[in-house]
Amino acid sequence: MRVTEPDAAAIARAAELLRAGELVALPTETVYGLGADALNPAAVGRIFAAKGRPADHPLIVHLPDAEHLVRWARAIPKEAIALARAFWPGPLTLILKREEGVPDEVTGGQDTVGLRVPDHPVALALLAAFGSGIAAPSANRFGRISPTTATHVVEELGDKVALVLDGGPCQVGIESTILDLSRDTPEILRPGAVSADDIARVIGRRPAVKGETAAAAEEPAPRVSGALAAHYAPGTPLRLVPAAMLTEEAAALAGEGSRVAVLARSVEDPEDARFLWHAAPADPKGYAHDLYASLRMLDASGADFILVEALPDSPDWRAIADRLGRAAVGSGEADET
Ligand code: TXA
Ligand code: MG
């Protein structure tokens, strides 16, 4: 694998590799993606092999611009056009009825497709050079922490990808909001930087949020792997602890001889040499930006436990709380995915 500065030559080379059916890792504003030509089933198959991801999990197709929507989706509701206009390029994925010719390998055999235009100059340059849709899940092994730097991609995928375009650290830091517009009621399948309120302001009604209503819980097989209870997980057991108990809990574990890493937000560092204490930004944007890099660092520290200070229960923190909840459930199962 080669990691490269994303100059014009590298972008041209990446587009060539995509045309040849190879995998290219690309930066987006959310996380790094593992990209392949979305119209080439064999190339898309390589994504699943590289990630170790179940083949029925659909992929997001990244588009050069909103004009490309009509090539991938049909029966496009007005709300989709309004949202694309408001948030693209940006961290919002729209689930729409798929157009003919969109491969089953991309959609997991469903009659819908996930589409977004990413807000990153390198991704947009590559998409423009390639001129078609790039299927790209997050560039991590299945179930693991999404990469927010080119180095993370290398850690995750070793030599399974032909080229990594290094676009620096991702600005947003957590994956896009996924909004299902393929059925009567818009529903957020995965929360992200674009909130239910942001969406409501554009379409004039508030989307349902998966997990918030009883009906959503009754749905069959997971359509969103990011919605599996265990996901985004470090190998070290991770636990969420209320602020008031954070220091006490860390001390108790250290007292039993465990090595403890802490991701704090508001609780001050007790400067106890037995802990690796990491202070996260106190605001949701900063917190999301640093989250995955911090989790990787704490995971690699050799700690027996990662304690994470529980987050405020407010809309601003919802998407981050979602990721941390899943990280807690999936943690401590190194290399089982
Ligand atoms: O921010 C992001 O969305 C990043 C960057 C690279 O764009 N991508 C990302 O991809 O997070 P991935 O594959 O790790 O997560 C995409 C999610 C999956 O959980 C998948 O199940 C869901 O999108 N998805 C894709 N197409 C879908 C569809 N037709 N219906 C329901 N869910 C879909
Ligand atoms: Mg992912």
Side-chain angles (χ1 to χ4, degrees), residues 173-175 190-193 210 212 226 228-232 238-241 263 265 283-285 287-289 291-292 295 308-330:
I174 59 172
E175 306 79 359
R190 179 176 72 183
K210 197 178 175 76
E212 274 185 17
L228 294 174
H231 215 70
Y232 312 112
L238 179 151
R239 232 188 282 160
L240 288 158
V241 180
L263 184 61
R265 192 188 65 91
D283 67 297
K285 279 211 169 83
Y287 193 104
H289 178 275
L291 176 62
Y292 290 151
L295 287 180
V308 178
E309 180 182 335
L311 302 173
D313 182 21
S314 69
D316 286 2
W317 289 93
R318 199 132 299 154
I320 299 165
D322 169 80
R323 302 308 191 278
L324 279 174
R326 295 178 208 289
V329 174

Side-chain angles (χ1 to χ4, degrees), residues 14-334:
E16 230 173 78
L17 286 166
L18 290 173
R19 277 184 210 108
E22 301 283 341
L23 302 182
V24 171
L26 64 147
T28 81
E29 81 282 31
T30 58
V31 301
Y32 275 71
L34 178 61
D37 177 354
L39 292 177
N40 178 340
V44 172
R46 291 209 175 103
I47 291 178
F48 291 92
K51 279 186 65 105
R53 179 173 179 157
D56 62 347
H57 284 241
L59 303 175
I60 294 171
V61 178
H62 298 71
L63 303 178
D65 56 49
E67 307 295 307
H68 281 252
L69 253 183
V70 292
R71 304 188 197 176
W72 299 83
R74 65 187 166 80
I76 302 171
K78 284 210 180 71
E79 290 177 329
I81 306 294
L83 288 166
R85 205 165 274 151
F87 297 113
W88 285 358
L92 176 66
T93 296
L94 300 178
I95 306 294
L96 298 166
K97 297 268 188 220
R98 73 162 151 179
E99 185 52 278
E100 264 172 58
V102 180
D104 281 339
E105 285 77 2
V106 168
T107 66
Q110 304 179 90
D111 66 343
T112 55
V113 60
L115 301 165
R116 88 176 186 100
V117 179
D119 188 14
H120 192 291
V122 175
L124 290 169
L126 177 60
L127 283 159
F130 182 60
S132 179
I134 299 177
S138 51
N140 52 279
R141 282 171 296 138
F142 183 63
R144 293 295 163 193
I145 302 169
S146 297
T148 53
T149 68
T151 308
H152 297 165
V153 177
V154 176
E155 286 168 15
E156 286 290 321
L157 297 171
D159 53 9
K160 294 193 173 88
V161 41
L163 190 68
V164 182
L165 294 171
D166 186 351
C170 301
Q171 279 306 310
V172 175
I174 59 172
E175 306 79 359
S176 61
T177 304
I178 300 181
L179 179 69
D180 185 355
L181 286 176
S182 71
R183 292 171 298 163
D184 290 342
T185 311
E187 183 177 18
I188 292 183
L189 301 180
R190 179 176 72 183
V194 175
S195 70
D197 288 339
D198 294 335
I199 290 165
R201 270 192 289 278
V202 174
I203 64 175
R205 55 173 172 163
R206 202 165 190 283
V209 180
K210 197 178 175 76
E212 274 185 17
T213 59
E218 286 161 19
E219 282 205 3
R223 310 196 324 151
V224 181
S225 54
L228 294 174
H231 215 70
Y232 312 112
T236 312
L238 179 151
R239 232 188 282 160
L240 288 158
V241 180
M245 294 164 61
L246 190 63
T247 310
E248 198 183 321
E249 181 95 15
L253 285 168
E256 293 165 10
S258 294
R259 287 160 300 174
V260 185
V262 178
L263 184 61
R265 192 188 65 91
S266 70
V267 179
E268 219 175 291
D269 185 350
E271 305 201 354
D272 184 322
R274 298 174 303 168
F275 315 148
L276 168 59
W277 194 275
H278 185 71
D283 67 297
K285 279 211 169 83
Y287 193 104
H289 178 275
D290 291 4
L291 176 62
Y292 290 151
S294 301
L295 287 180
R296 270 173 198 278
M297 185 270 287
L298 298 174
D299 197 20
S301 71
D304 300 306
F305 291 96
I306 299 172
L307 301 185
V308 178
E309 180 182 335
L311 302 173
D313 182 21
S314 69
D316 286 2
W317 289 93
R318 199 132 299 154
I320 299 165
D322 169 80
R323 302 308 191 278
L324 279 174
R326 295 178 208 289
V329 174
S331 65
E333 298 170 6

